[in-house]
Structures are given as structure tokens and as C-alpha cells.
Amino acid sequence: MKHIRHFVPSLFLSFVHVCLVQANYAPYFFDNGDRSTNGNMALLSLSEDTPVGTHVYTLNGTDPEGDPVTYGLAYEAGSRRYFSVDENLGNVTLVEELDREKEDEIEVIVSISDGLSTVSEKVRILVTDANDESPEFINTPYIVQVPENTPSGSSIFKIEAVDRDTGSGGSITYFLQNIHANKFTIDRHSGVLRIKTGVTLDYEKSRTHFVIVVAKDGGGKLRGDNKVFSATTTITVNVEDVQDTPPMFIGTPYYGYVYEDTLAGSEVLTVVALDGDRGKPNSIRYCIVNGDEGSFEISNTTGAISVIKSPNQLKKEVYELKVQASEVSQEGGISDNAFAAVTIRVVDLNNHPPTFYGENGPQNRFELTMYEHPPEGEILRGLKITVNDSDQGANAKFNLRLVGPGGIFRVVPQTVLNEAQVTVIVENSAAIDYEKFKVLTFKLLAIEVNTPERFSSTADVAIRLLDTNDNVPKFSSDYYIARIPENSPGGSNVVAVTATDPDSGLWGEVKYSIYGTGADLFLIHPSTGIIYTQPWATLDAEVNSKYNFYVKAEDTDGKYSLAEVFITVLDVNDHSPEFNENIQEKTMIIGSPVKIEAIDQDAEEPNNIVDYSIMQADPANVFDIDQSTGEIKLKSYIRSLDIIHNITKNKDCIWSLVVQAKDRGSPSFSTTAVLKIDITEETLHKGPMAAFLMQTKDNPMKALGVLAGVMGIMVMITVMISTAMFWRNKRSNKVMPVRRIIKKRQAHPPRSVRMEWLKLRRSSNAAEKFMVEEDAGNENSNNNARAGAAVPPVPTPPPPPVPACAVAAPAWHLPTVSGSLAPAFSNRALKKKGPGGAHSALVSELKMKFEKRNAALEDPHI
């Protein structure tokens, strides 16, 4: 009963638990279809080049009760974990790099859980191929043995490469590098290596060939790009020798010597032959075929030739032996033969020196005549020289060389055995010069090389040279400078040019000529080279003092050279100084000099430098002259006309001087002129107008011209302004409501601004001055009076004094702008100075008017 009590509650609890369990349904995955990216991963396939970290799938499922689910991934023990999953979202990420060639299927246990129930499924994920493998050659290295007589086109080897990729990435094609330089071809699909058609192998030429083979897959996708992989390997082809080449003698030609003291049975020389097939050579057997005449024998195994008679029994000096070398096969048969010629000379001891021979026997002097400068490399065929040593063997070996000026000729051969024809060759053509050497002398030296006696001999070689026209006439200087006076008569010698031609005979004769634009006045003697002036030529340094032309020196063959000639015509003092007028008149203001000038037409100094001097003056102590400039001025102590009047009793103001102009040439020339000087004192203060008046005192037309020009310019400016105003008013379309009317001022009587002729009278009184007479008018000389401006009255000048000298010429006048000047009063009256003096007031007024008039001309707006 006790057990029943406990069993009933337990049974009840179990029943309740079973009911609760049956009420909770397990979660499940959604089935995924082909190429689906979510579900239970049952049909998932991934390319092996999928990058690690890629989201490759999403596990997706649900719980019937709607409870949240979680996801999980599990692997069998020992398996690599390629994926990880987000347990809440189901996102599956690749965490390990895939490799189809190692593992093409991955088993993964996927699970889904609602917290109470967990459902697990085992799925297989297929790993698809990507072209990530390169071809690999198997069974390397490749070494092939091929007999050299293998026919062309034969297959000699087959190579094999594998690529673990599938599809096109796993297919392989083969090809060779440097196909054109190769003796082999390969089948691109099977990898069979063959000898090219028409090509044979030759062991004797090349024993080994290295063939580079490339294996390339068919390409495929790798990480989105098309990739092609390849691999290379080398096939070593060793060519095997085959018996197909006859034996060959080594060291040919063969020469041997038998001397006077050689014993019978002595070895003379050894011939050597080898099998042409070097890979598997056969043994060689030797024999003498003919030519020995019973005097020589040969060892059939070593090839050593020996003399079997004593030298005095040998009847010939030279023996020509024919020696045969035969191959003996391993079976003992003779397969191939080769032949060689052996020359054996019978010689005695060294008892003869080298000897030179001509056409008629021994000779120790040879002569030749030839033209200079033969071509380099030319053989001197006129020298027929033979050298011989009658000894035999090493005793007959000697050297040849030329002793004399080096580098001109060379001799061949330089080493001789027994006998040789001597050849002399031109080495330096320029050194074979007739102008340097008429005869070239050399010595031919022949001296033995390896003998104790060192016998030698010499022969003289004399080469006589003939001249050719190989030189150009050459001037002693590239240019010549000459000077000739301008007064030289026609036909005068100027300069002698010299050119030399070192050639002989007619080739050395030089002919001279001149040409050029500056050569018209000159001639040259064709033989002597003397340059002289034309008979009719007249030189003038003032017209042309420089001449320049070329001289030409030419030989009979037309070879020539040039030089330049510079001729300077020297100035001669052949011109006298000349005044522009023989009688001149000047006006001198006390304190200012006057100038006289003479010109000398000579071209150079000192012929054209003029010195001035006063030859005659009355009074003699009044004037000084500057020797260089020709300026004439009063003595420093003369400052007024009063001083002059105290010096001389002559009251005339015009004095005459005789001035001489003399050049500095040798001989010197001179000219005189009479200068009449009118001496006066300055009346106007210095200013532009006063200076102008004084400058034009002797030329009144100049003042008129200046006045007319000024007035013309003023008229043109007025016309231009009026025209511009007219066109501006005409084009304006404005209607002015009020027009300003300006009342015209009452016109005053026109102020006539005039200046009477400036009356300058030549009187005996040199102190005569100018008087200014002014009409009433305005300062601007425009006939319009300024408002409120009163014209100051002109002070009345004092009455002119009676002139001391009579008027010698009629008065002359110069019109001016603002007044008239006239010589109307005496010197003493004008010399008064002070604020109230008439002279000061007159000059101040005149200066003011001149300055205002100039300002008005410069600025039209004033």
C-alpha cells in the first residue's frame, strides 16, 4: 500500500509532463530549391575561389508555435571548419579557404532550435572548380639519348603534364620555345617530341641539345577574371655517336728534317690521326703508301716516321711521303681511311748565313726609282729581292726587317724559313716626299732566329723619288698691309707679295693675279708679285683712303692659294684752309666774341687742323684770337667803347682785321681773309627775345619768317577750334530753354601792337643804341582790353644825342611783335641805370611784353 501511495502522484506528474511535451512542436528548416540562397543548405555549391569572409548562405526556418529560433553549424570530428553562422540571423560566412583539388565536398551538420527542441540535418556542400592550378610536368627531369643517324621526323620522346583543374582549365597543350632555332617539333596535344623534317643530328657538331617545352592550360575563371596558367621544362637531348666519320690527321702539313749528323733509325717526326667519331672512337693504324724509296719507315700504331739510312746515303734532298691512317673496328676490320702528305728535307749543319739574291744572283744593293706619295699599301714591284738560307730546319729560320726611317715602309714576310720573296709595302705615303728626301735609303737585315751563330746579312735599298705637283703655292703671309701717299704718280709700286711652291720645274713656277672690288686702280706683275697702281690711277685720300682686294698665286696645274691685301692711301697736305668768304662782316658786342672759321679738305690730321692768327689790325692792341677755335674777342681790359676811343683816335665803329688760317701740314698752307667788325655794346638784358633779336640783326628776313610762322600757327588753331564748336552745335539735338546772353564789352579802340623797323645804322659811333617806340595797346596783343587793368604809360626817352660818326649806310628795320627798336639815342643816354632811368623802364616793359606773348603762344587758353 505504501508503494501504491507513492506511485499515484508520480504517475500523475508524468502524465502532466507528457501532455506538456506533446503540446511543444519542434522547429524546422524551410526547404531550399535549386540556386536558393536560404533554407537548410542542402543544395548549396560554392566555387573554390570564393573569398574568405564572404556571406555564402542564410539558414532559414521556423517554429510552429512561433517561438524564436537559433541556428548552429557542427562538423564531424577531425573535419575542417569552413563556415560560421550567426545563430540569430542564420547568416553563414566562409571562414576557411576552399580547395576543390583537396576536398570537393564538405559535410556540415546544420541545426535549428526553439530553446526546447533542436532539429539537426547533415548536408553536403559541393565545391566547384576554378582555374587556380598550373600544369605540372611529371617524371622530370627529361633526358633523352638519340643516335645521330636517327631519321628526320622520328619520334624521340613523349612528355606529360597534368593540371588538377577540371574542364578547360584542366586541358593542356604543348609547344616549344624558339621554334625556328630548334631542330625539334612537338605535338601540341600528345606531347610527342620529334626531329624536324629535313633536319639531321650530328654528334661531331653538337653533342647536346636543350629543348624548352611549355605546357599551357585552356584557361578559366578565377575570382572573376579569365586566367591561363603555364609551366616550362627542359628536355636534354644527348646525341649518341655513330661510326660515320673517317679519321682525320692533326697538325698538317707535316715537315721533317734529316741533318748531316742524324743516325740511321732516328725518329724524324710523328703523324697523328684521330677517329672522326669522337664518341666511340676506333683505333688507328698507320702505313706509308709511297714516296719513301726504302729510306723511311712508320710505326703502324704510333705514327712515328724514322729514317732507316744514314744521311749520306740519301739520294734526294726532299722526300714526299704519302701516309695512310685506317680505322680498325672492334671486330678487326678496316672501316675508313685518310691520307696525309709528309715532306722530309735532308739538310746539313748550320754553316750558311741568309743571303740576298737579285735577278742575276747574290746582290747586296738594290735601287728603285718611283714617284713621290704612292698609295698606301702599294707594293714596290720594281724591287725584285729574294732571300735564302741554304741550311736546313731551324738553321734556315731567320727574321727580316727594315733599318732606316721608321713608319714609311714595311717588309713581308717578317719570318722566313729557308727562302722567301721579299716584298716592301708602302705604309706612310705622306712621308715619301720629294721636297724632303730626294733619295730614301734603307737596309734590309736578315738575322737567324734560334741558332747559336745568329748569322745575318744586309742589303742596301736606295729609292730615288721623282717629283709630282703635290704642293699648292703658299703666300708668305695670309694678308699684306701697305701704305701709299695720295700724290703718288700712276705706276707707283705699292707692295710686293711673295708665294712659294716647293715643287720642282714648271710645277714650282708661280703666277700672280688680283681680283676684287677694290682692285680697279691696281695691277700686279704676274711673275714678281709687285703690286703697283694703274698708269692712269689718281689716288685721293679725301675720296677713298682704304682699298681691299685679293691676290692669287697659281701654278701651272691650276693649284692656287689666296691672300688679302689692305692698302691705305696716306693723306698729303694738298689743300689749303678755305674761308667761306674772303671778306666777312661781323657785329661784336662788347664782352661776347665773334668767330671766324676756315675748313681744310685734307683727310687726316694734322693736315686738316687749322690754326688762326691775326696778321694785321688797326689798332693792333684791341683784338685777340683763339688759335684753335678762331674766336675773336677784345682784350680783357676793354669793357666799353669809351676805352676803345681812348686807345685810338679813329671814331669809326667798323674795323678791319686780316686773319690768317694756316694748317699744320708739311709743307704748310695758309689763307687770309678780311674781317670787318662792327663793335657795339649790349642794350637789352639777356632774354629769349633779346637774344633772338641780336642773332637776327644781320638777317632781318629770318625774323619775318619766324613771325609769319607764329601767326600761321595761331590762325590754324583758331580754325580748328571754330570747326569743332560748329560741328558740336550742329549735332546737338537739345533745346535749351534759356540761353545765356553775355553782353559784349564795349570795344576800345584797337591797340595797335606794332614794331617799326629796327633801324640799325652803321655809324662812326659804335656806342649807338636801340630805341623802343610802343603804341597804346594791351599786354596780350589781342586788341581786347582787360577789365580794370590800366596800361602803364611808357616813359618818354630822352632826346637822342648828336651821333659822333656820320651815317655810312641807310637804316634797316626789323618788324617785331610788341614794339619797334631804333638806334635813336646815344650811348651815354642808354648807359644810365637806376629805378627811375628811362633806359631801365623801357627794357623792363619790353621784356615783360615779350614773355607774356610767348606764354600766350604756348598755351592758347590763356
Side-chain angles (χ1 to χ4, degrees):
M1 289 298 292
K2 185 177 179 180
H3 293 290
I4 293 173
R5 289 177 187 170
H6 290 290
F7 177 74
V8 173
S10 299
L11 182 63
F12 177 76
L13 292 174
S14 298
F15 176 75
V16 173
H17 178 71
V18 169
C19 290
L20 290 175
V21 170
Q22 288 180 349
N24 181 27
Y25 293 97
Y28 61 90
F29 286 103
F30 294 128
D31 291 334
N32 60 323
D34 186 22
R35 299 182 180 178
S36 175
T37 59
N38 61 74
N40 61 353
M41 294 179 66
L43 301 176
L44 178 62
S45 63
L46 289 176
S47 176
E48 63 177 329
D49 61 349
T50 302
V52 174
T54 303
H55 173 216
V56 297
Y57 198 80
T58 301
L59 294 176
N60 195 4
T62 186
D63 181 69
E65 289 81 17
D67 292 333
V69 296
T70 58
Y71 304 95
L73 293 177
Y75 300 89
E76 293 182 356
S79 299
R80 299 181 66 179
R81 297 177 177 272
Y82 286 95
F83 306 99
S84 64
V85 65
D86 187 317
E87 64 179 6
N88 296 317
L89 300 178
N91 293 332
V92 179
T93 302
L94 180 66
V95 296
E96 185 74 24
E97 186 176 357
L98 302 176
D99 189 349
R100 186 201 65 82
E101 286 73 30
K102 294 180 179 179
E103 192 171 0
D104 58 356
E105 286 187 356
I106 301 173
E107 289 186 353
V108 180
I109 300 173
V110 296
S111 61
I112 184 172
S113 173
D114 60 359
L116 296 177
S117 300
T118 299
V119 177
S120 298
E121 296 180 8
K122 180 184 288 187
V123 296
R124 290 186 177 181
I125 300 171
L126 179 64
V127 180
T128 60
D129 189 41
N131 189 26
D132 60 342
E133 297 289 335
S134 299
E136 293 182 4
F137 290 96
I138 60 175
N139 300 324
T140 58
Y142 299 127
I143 301 175
V144 184
Q145 304 293 333
V146 182
E148 64 176 334
N149 59 353
T150 302
S152 63
S154 300
S155 300
I156 59 174
F157 192 68
K158 184 179 185 301
I159 63 173
E160 185 177 0
V162 295
D163 192 322
R164 293 189 296 173
D165 290 320
T166 60
S168 62
S171 63
I172 297 176
T173 56
Y174 306 92
F175 61 91
L176 301 181
Q177 287 186 355
N178 302 324
I179 185 66
H180 299 293
N182 223 315
K183 291 190 175 185
F184 306 93
T185 61
I186 193 169
D187 187 283
R188 61 179 307 197
H189 300 294
S190 64
V192 174
L193 186 69
R194 293 183 174 88
I195 302 174
K196 276 186 180 179
T197 303
V199 175
T200 58
L201 304 178
D202 192 344
Y203 176 86
E204 285 70 35
K205 293 182 179 179
S206 180
R207 301 182 183 184
T208 305
H209 299 273
F210 298 98
V211 183
I212 299 176
V213 183
V214 179
K216 182 173 68 174
D217 64 19
K221 293 290 184 179
L222 178 64
R223 297 182 182 89
D225 296 329
N226 189 48
K227 296 289 185 180
V228 177
F229 293 98
S230 62
T232 60
T233 189
T234 300
I235 302 175
T236 303
V237 180
N238 293 322
V239 181
E240 294 181 342
D241 191 21
V242 177
Q243 288 295 329
D244 59 351
T245 305
M248 295 180 295
F249 280 96
I250 299 174
T252 58
Y254 292 112
Y255 296 96
Y257 304 95
V258 177
Y259 300 100
E260 292 177 319
D261 56 352
T262 302
L263 300 177
S266 299
E267 181 179 323
V268 179
L269 77 159
T270 300
V271 297
V272 178
L274 299 177
D275 187 356
D277 301 306
R278 303 296 176 84
K280 298 177 180 178
N282 290 327
S283 60
I284 304 296
R285 296 290 182 267
Y286 303 95
C287 66
I288 297 176
V289 178
N290 56 45
D292 62 320
E293 298 183 5
S295 301
F296 300 93
E297 65 179 3
I298 189 170
S299 172
N300 62 351
T301 56
T302 64
I305 299 176
S306 302
V307 59
I308 58 178
K309 294 182 179 179
S310 61
N312 56 5
Q313 294 177 328
L314 300 177
K315 299 179 180 180
K316 299 171 62 176
E317 292 185 0
V318 178
Y319 290 85
E320 298 286 345
L321 308 183
K322 184 179 181 180
V323 178
Q324 174 183 300
S326 304
E327 288 187 30
V328 180
S329 64
Q330 295 180 356
E331 292 80 13
I334 302 299
S335 58
D336 283 311
N337 300 316
F339 299 92
V342 178
T343 301
I344 298 178
R345 183 181 294 273
V346 180
V347 295
D348 57 359
L349 297 177
N350 185 29
N351 50 11
H352 297 89
T355 305
F356 292 97
Y357 293 88
E359 293 180 333
N360 300 319
Q363 188 174 332
N364 59 8
R365 182 175 177 81
F366 300 89
E367 295 184 357
L368 174 68
T369 300
M370 61 180 290
Y371 284 101
E372 63 176 336
H373 303 304
E376 292 184 1
E378 180 175 314
I379 297 174
L380 303 187
R381 303 187 183 279
L383 291 176
K384 297 182 179 180
I385 307 173
T386 303
V387 63
N388 174 268
D389 191 327
S390 300
D391 293 321
Q392 300 296 324
N395 295 332
K397 187 176 182 180
F398 55 92
N399 289 338
L400 272 180
R401 67 172 182 262
L402 277 175
V403 179
I408 299 178
F409 300 100
R410 62 185 175 92
V411 62
V412 291
Q414 295 182 352
T415 301
V416 180
L417 184 63
N418 291 118
E419 183 176 299
Q421 182 76 31
V422 178
T423 302
V424 179
I425 301 175
V426 176
E427 195 167 46
N428 185 357
S429 176
I432 307 174
D433 193 346
Y434 176 83
E435 286 71 34
K436 296 180 181 178
F437 309 101
K438 301 297 186 294
V439 179
L440 288 171
T441 303
F442 298 88
K443 282 187 178 295
L444 264 176
L445 173 64
I447 182 170
E448 292 179 348
V449 179
N450 295 321
T451 63
E453 298 81 7
R454 299 280 290 178
F455 290 141
S456 64
S457 62
T458 60
D460 294 326
V461 179
I463 301 175
R464 301 184 183 278
L465 298 180
L466 300 177
D467 193 21
T468 61
N469 189 20
D470 60 331
N471 290 284
V472 176
K474 186 176 182 181
F475 282 98
S476 59
S477 176
D478 293 334
Y479 58 89
Y480 295 88
I481 298 175
R483 296 174 178 85
I484 182 172
E486 64 177 338
N487 60 352
S488 300
S492 298
N493 290 346
V494 180
V495 66
V497 298
T498 304
T500 57
D501 191 328
D503 293 319
S504 62
L506 296 177
W507 290 325
E509 294 181 2
V510 178
K511 181 181 179 181
Y512 301 95
S513 59
I514 62 175
Y515 64 94
T517 56
D520 297 338
L521 299 181
F522 303 92
L523 296 173
I524 189 170
H525 193 282
S527 300
T528 63
I530 296 176
I531 299 174
Y532 55 94
T533 58
Q534 295 273 10
W536 46 264
T538 301
L539 303 178
D540 190 345
E542 289 75 36
V543 176
N544 188 1
S545 63
K546 302 291 183 182
Y547 294 92
N548 172 225
F549 52 85
Y550 291 92
V551 291
K552 178 180 181 182
E554 185 176 11
D555 64 16
T556 54
D557 276 355
K559 294 184 177 180
Y560 67 92
S561 62
L562 300 177
E564 199 166 1
V565 178
F566 299 89
I567 296 177
T568 300
V569 179
L570 299 177
D571 185 40
V572 176
N573 192 23
D574 55 354
H575 290 83
S576 300
E578 294 181 2
F579 292 99
N580 55 355
E581 292 180 1
N582 291 332
I583 300 177
Q584 301 184 28
E585 297 181 359
K586 300 284 184 179
T587 300
M588 176 184 288
I589 299 174
I590 294 177
S592 299
V594 296
K595 185 176 182 180
I596 190 168
E597 184 177 11
I599 298 176
D600 194 312
Q601 298 296 331
D602 285 313
E604 298 177 0
E605 297 180 359
N607 296 335
N608 58 4
I609 297 178
V610 179
D611 292 332
Y612 301 91
S613 62
I614 297 176
M615 304 298 295
Q616 183 179 351
D618 186 17
N621 296 324
V622 175
F623 299 99
D624 285 330
I625 189 168
D626 189 295
Q627 179 182 352
S628 301
T629 64
E631 288 186 348
I632 301 173
K633 57 185 178 180
L634 296 172
K635 296 286 187 177
S636 59
Y637 62 86
I638 300 176
R639 299 179 181 177
S640 67
L641 288 177
D642 293 338
I643 299 175
I644 296 176
H645 294 159
N646 293 332
I647 294 174
T648 177
K649 296 179 179 181
N650 185 7
K651 303 302 181 181
D652 191 354
C653 299
I654 299 177
W655 291 341
S656 296
L657 303 177
V658 178
V659 178
Q660 181 190 60
K662 183 178 181 180
D663 62 28
R664 297 184 184 179
S666 179
S668 178
F669 294 97
S670 63
T671 306
T672 59
V674 177
L675 179 62
K676 296 181 178 181
I677 300 179
D678 183 4
I679 302 177
T680 182
E681 286 185 335
E682 184 178 11
T683 58
L684 300 177
H685 292 293
K686 292 184 179 179
M689 194 62 186
F692 173 75
L693 290 175
M694 292 308 300
Q695 291 174 2
T696 58
K697 176 174 177 291
D698 296 331
N699 189 3
M701 296 305 295
K702 182 176 180 181
L704 289 176
V706 172
L707 180 60
V710 172
M711 295 179 65
I713 292 173
M714 294 179 62
V715 170
M716 290 177 62
I717 294 174
T718 304
V719 171
M720 292 173 63
I721 294 174
S722 300
T723 303
M725 295 296 294
F726 169 76
W727 283 106
R728 187 184 68 175
N729 295 335
K730 184 176 180 180
R731 292 180 181 178
S732 177
N733 56 5
K734 294 182 180 180
V735 178
M736 304 301 291
V738 178
R739 183 179 295 263
R740 183 180 179 186
I741 300 175
I742 301 175
K743 185 177 180 180
K744 190 175 182 181
R745 295 191 182 100
Q746 183 178 358
H748 293 277
R751 182 184 181 187
S752 61
V753 180
R754 61 186 179 83
M755 178 179 287
E756 295 182 357
W757 294 103
L758 184 62
K759 301 174 182 180
L760 301 177
R761 294 178 298 170
R762 297 172 184 253
S763 64
S764 58
N765 186 4
E768 185 175 338
K769 296 298 180 179
F770 301 107
M771 175 188 293
V772 177
E773 295 179 0
E774 182 178 10
D775 295 335
N778 68 335
E779 294 177 344
N780 295 326
S781 301
N782 55 10
N783 297 327
N784 293 326
R786 292 187 177 181
V791 179
V794 179
T796 303
V802 178
C805 301
V807 178
W812 54 279
H813 308 277
L814 175 64
T816 62
V817 175
S818 58
S820 61
L821 301 175
F825 45 89
S826 67
N827 178 51
R828 290 192 180 94
L830 289 178
K831 284 170 64 177
K832 296 180 180 179
K833 299 182 180 179
H839 172 70
S840 299
L842 177 62
V843 174
S844 299
E845 181 69 17
L846 182 59
K847 181 178 180 182
M848 181 175 63
K849 292 180 181 294
F850 282 164
E851 292 176 351
K852 289 186 177 181
R853 164 54 82 188
N854 292 335
L857 291 177
E858 293 175 358
D859 189 354
H861 299 290
I862 296 177

